[in-house]
Amino acid sequence: MADRQFIESLKIEENIFELAENCKLEYLVQYYAPFTGCGEYEIPAGIKFRLAGPMREDAMYMHVIDADSELAIDWQRH
């Protein structure tokens, strides 16, 4: 999990961040025991996102901003 200081280093505008290098994202597809599913995906450098708030102490919600980019479209397929 990236810490807040690392996330802040990616800031390019108010609540807009851009990945400087590829980053592995671990995600939940459902959070409801006993059927919790998860996966991981490597997000390529250059993706812009904004934080939408904490999900819990060790995770956060984020939204892709450049959703029409080829990189974001590929990510959203997974």
Side-chain angles (χ1 to χ4, degrees), residues 2-11 17:
D3 64 18
R4 288 280 177 191
Q5 185 175 2
F6 173 75
I7 300 250
E8 286 297 317
S9 75
L10 302 174
K11 185 180 277 188
F17 305 83

Side-chain angles (χ1 to χ4, degrees), residues 22-36:
N22 291 358
C23 179
K24 187 183 292 186
L25 172 75
E26 296 175 354
Y27 59 88
L28 294 174
V29 291
Q30 184 173 5
Y31 188 66
Y32 187 74
F35 304 106
T36 300

Side-chain angles (χ1 to χ4, degrees), residues 2-76:
D3 64 18
R4 288 280 177 191
Q5 185 175 2
F6 173 75
I7 300 250
E8 286 297 317
S9 75
L10 302 174
K11 185 180 277 188
I12 58 174
E13 293 180 36
E14 185 63 35
N15 200 30
I16 298 178
F17 305 83
E18 182 175 357
L19 289 179
E21 57 188 51
N22 291 358
C23 179
K24 187 183 292 186
L25 172 75
E26 296 175 354
Y27 59 88
L28 294 174
V29 291
Q30 184 173 5
Y31 188 66
Y32 187 74
F35 304 106
T36 300
C38 63
E40 62 182 37
Y41 183 76
E42 185 158 334
I43 303 171
I47 288 289
K48 293 184 180 106
F49 64 95
R50 67 180 177 83
L51 298 179
M55 184 171 107
R56 55 181 203 237
E57 188 173 312
D58 63 341
M60 66 190 71
Y61 291 108
M62 59 185 257
H63 297 282
V64 173
I65 292 175
D66 51 353
D68 294 329
S69 74
E70 185 176 325
L71 299 174
I73 291 169
D74 181 52
W75 177 25
Q76 292 171 6

